[in-house]
């Protein structure tokens, strides 16, 4: 099994969009290492030819009538927004400046 | 011990329902009594994140008015309830124990909350939990831990420690919970209360802030098996807004709790969920309970579920994987916390997102998001998440085989009694082990209940017994639970919670 390095954790935190501090990175490398060693036990189970199970209930193709139903008003939808403008969510810039 | 005859907070929900129906008390009186109890004890217990006194009394007054007008009402109408802070509530904050959602007031009610309101139960407030339901002690709440009413220096279980403590400290006769790996059952076990995780899909997940969607299931918390059944019936049922909701009637849980008949029933002991790793007092109370079940007419058989030994490992791959995906919605754009990164002029949305998620999430949430991100990443997917999903199938197969020889299965709910606050906070793996006996049910989707089995000799703290039934046979939990509860209560000479310390006598 691959060893998890500090760089790996920094990379994963980037993917997960969490700006971890240096101290958090230091702590998490050790903690995650212990957890990963433990969860790797799944690899000891005899899983040859076993179908993966993603869900406890075998329900497929659940549909409902294609009918218009009441939904949130714009004001309700925006009620928790950190910032809004002209009945829209207002967000920081999404493109690089240069 | 206090006088239980005149204090409305000591009555069960079923007793309160009878008093209300007979016109002997009003819902306003019942609701006020519980709010007064909260004023008296919650500074010590810290079960509530938000007390909704005014709206609860208004809802109670409305029920009293409707009852006086002769309207047909639900049996539990006017009986107050506390709601776990993971369920969305119009007009009340829903924080999930996280700074990420501090002060968030949702624009819609969870289906469970809507059903509670429709049945006329006044909502007393929102109760504490580990952040986004990740934990077994409530110590991961961003708003401070809840304390165990049996010993204020100990944990009330988690994630639903607010729910267990609020009923065990007589601040509410009923509370809602959610159980992803044991968050209803383990808190019930360590506080001497009762809680059920219904069959997956038995209760709607609409409006529950998701932790792991294929494992999450809401359910009832109370002090007696019958009260738990009464609330189960209110919460359960098909909901078209949840595509995994079971389109079938709620199992006859109340009837089963009232009949309490287990004559001829085969009760299986899961070999892998007893013995080594379980505290002596927990095992002793479990063994005694088995004898009481035999005395009540059941037959005990031993079953083996060999793949349960991998359940914890599979769970801590599947859960973080689903959680890392579910919690991606907290992006600081549409709702929740937004903080700018330090030292960056004119930051981008991505930088704001990363800074907000660092500031808004606690340590345990970050650990699990990163673990899930790892388990799902290309190159590791098959070794971790894919293998965990196969193990999940093996565990479900173990249950299927066990239920060929037994009608229900039993085990201790948690390996130990309540541990001290802080004791396991720096050791994530130790904390995870608290759910070793409860996790298999979530992986397979089968229903489970915990009820008190007594007090451990070594520390005088409550122990819990877990009952597991086949999917959609939730009523069997209540047959066994009610039969055991009757036998134990008879032996104890009253409910176990009568022996909990009187919190008002301690003084602040």
């Amino acid at each position: 099994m691959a060893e998890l390095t500090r760089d790996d954790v920094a990379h994963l935190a980037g993917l997960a969009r969490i700006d971890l501090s240096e101290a958090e990175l230091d702590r998490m490398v050790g903690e995650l290492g212990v957890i990963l060693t433990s969860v790797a036990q799944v690899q000891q189970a005899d899983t040859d030819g076993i179908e993966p199970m993603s869900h406890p209930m075998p329900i497929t193709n659940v549909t409902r009538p294609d009918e218009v139903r009441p939904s949130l008003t714009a004001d309700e939808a925006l009620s928790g927004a950190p910032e809004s403008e002209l009945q829209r969510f207002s967000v920081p810039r999404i493109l690089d400046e240069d | 011990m206090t006088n239980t005859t005149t204090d409305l907070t000591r009555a069960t929900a079923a007793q309160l329902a009878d008093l209300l129906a007979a016109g002997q008390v009003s819902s306003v009186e019942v609701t006020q009594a519980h709010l007064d109890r909260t004023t008296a004890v919650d500074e010590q217990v810290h079960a509530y994140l938000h007390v909704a006194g005014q709206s609860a009394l208004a809802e109670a007054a409305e029920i009293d008015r409707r009852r006086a007008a002769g309207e047909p009402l639900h049996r539990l109408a006017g009986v107050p309830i506390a709601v776990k802070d993971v369920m969305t509530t119009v007009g009340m904050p829903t924080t999930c124990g996280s700074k990420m959602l501090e002060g968030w007031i949702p624009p819609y009610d969870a289906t469970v909350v809507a059903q509670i309101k429709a049945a006329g139960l006044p909502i007393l407030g929102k109760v504490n939990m580990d952040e986004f339901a990740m934990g077994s002690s409530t110590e991961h709440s961003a708003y401070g831990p809840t304390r165990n009413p049996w010993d204020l220096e100990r944990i009330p279980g988690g994630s639903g420690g607010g729910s267990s403590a609020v009923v065990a400290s007589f601040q509410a006769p009923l509370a809602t919970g959610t159980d992803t790996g044991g968050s209803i059952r383990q808190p019930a076990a360590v506080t001497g209360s009762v809680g059920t995780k219904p069959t997956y899909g038995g209760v709607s997940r609409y409006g529950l802030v998701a932790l792991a969607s294929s494992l999450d299931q809401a359910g009832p918390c109370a002090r007696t098996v019958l009260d738990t059944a009464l609330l189960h019936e209110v919460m359960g049922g098909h909901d078209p807004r949840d595509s995994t909701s079971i389109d079938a009637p709620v199992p006859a849980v109340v009837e089963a709790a009232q009949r309490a008949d287990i004559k001829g029933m085969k009760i299986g002991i899961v070999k892998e969920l007893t013995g080594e790793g379980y505290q002596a007092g927990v095992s002793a109370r479990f063994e005694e309970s088995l004898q009481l079940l035999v005395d009540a007419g059941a037959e005990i058989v031993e079953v083996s579920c060999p793949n349960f030994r991998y359940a914890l490992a599979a769970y801590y791959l599947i859960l973080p994987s689903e959680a890392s995906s579910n919690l991606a919605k907290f992006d600081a754009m549409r709702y929740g916390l937004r903080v700018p990164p330090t030292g960056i002029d004119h930051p981008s949305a991505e930088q704001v997102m990363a800074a907000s998620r660092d500031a808004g999430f606690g340590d345990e949430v970050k650990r699990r998001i990163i673990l899930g991100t790892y388990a799902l990443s290309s190159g590791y997917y098959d070794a971790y998440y894919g293998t965990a999903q196969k193990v999940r199938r093996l565990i479900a197969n173990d249950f299927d085989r066990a239920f060929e020889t037994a009608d229900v299965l039993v085990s201790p709910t948690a390996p130990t009694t309540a541990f001290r606050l802080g004791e396991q906070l720096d050791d994530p793996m130790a904390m995870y082990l608290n759910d070793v006996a409860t996790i298999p049910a979530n992986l397979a989707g089968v229903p489970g209940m915990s009820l008190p089995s007594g007090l451990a000799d070594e520390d005088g703290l409550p122990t819990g017994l877990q009952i597991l039934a086949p999917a959609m046979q939730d009523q069997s939990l209540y047959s066994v639970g009610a039969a055991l509860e009757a036998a134990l209560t008879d032996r104890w000479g009253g409910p176990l919670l009568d022996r909990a310390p009187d919190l008002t006598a301690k003084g602040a």
Side-chain angles (χ1 to χ4, degrees), chain B residues 41-104:
Chain B
V41 305
D42 207 43
E43 205 170 307
Q44 301 170 71
V45 178
H46 188 49
Y48 279 104
L49 293 179
H50 175 80
V51 178
Q54 232 175 0
S55 61
L57 288 168
E59 286 158 13
E62 174 63 10
I63 288 297
D64 288 339
R65 185 196 64 73
R66 288 173 56 192
R67 197 184 301 276
E71 285 184 37
L73 296 171
H74 188 278
R75 180 168 172 190
L76 287 180
V79 178
I81 187 169
V83 171
K84 190 177 181 183
D85 208 31
V86 75
M87 297 175 172
T88 59
T89 40
V90 170
M92 273 182 226
T94 299
T95 70
C96 300
S98 180
K99 289 286 176 198
M100 184 60 87
L101 287 178
E102 189 166 17
W104 180 54

Side-chain angles (χ1 to χ4, degrees), chain B residues 323-339:
Chain B
S324 67
S325 165
N326 276 327
L327 296 182
K329 66 175 163 280
F330 298 108
D331 58 5
M333 298 299 134
R334 293 153 302 163
Y335 66 128
L337 184 74
R338 178 186 288 182
V339 296

Side-chain angles (χ1 to χ4, degrees), chain B residues 132-221:
Chain B
F132 291 111
M134 299 187 200
S136 306
S137 71
T138 72
E139 292 168 291
H140 293 307
S141 168
Y143 305 99
T146 297
R147 288 159 187 274
N148 191 318
W150 289 82
D151 177 347
L152 296 170
E153 295 309 310
R154 291 177 188 263
I155 60 104
S159 69
S163 304
S164 66
V166 86
V167 297
S169 62
F170 300 94
Q171 299 187 63
L174 301 168
T176 64
T178 56
D179 188 312
T180 305
S183 287
I184 289 175
R185 290 163 287 159
Q186 179 257 4
V190 297
T191 57
S193 57
V194 184
T196 297
K197 179 201 93 73
T199 298
Y200 182 87
V203 175
S204 169
R205 291 184 298 108
Y206 180 77
L208 273 50
V209 179
L211 168 54
S213 306
S214 80
L215 302 165
D216 294 345
Q217 183 55 214
C221 309

Side-chain angles (χ1 to χ4, degrees), chain A residues 11-18, chain B residues 320-321 324-325 357 366-378 380:
Chain A
H11 174 68
L12 291 165
L15 291 175
R17 304 292 186 273
I18 302 175
Chain B
S321 299
S324 67
S325 165
R357 286 164 66 81
K366 291 176 189 172
R367 265 196 293 273
R368 295 204 199 179
I369 289 176
I370 290 175
L371 186 63
T373 307
Y374 180 70
L376 292 176
S377 52
S378 64
Y380 298 102

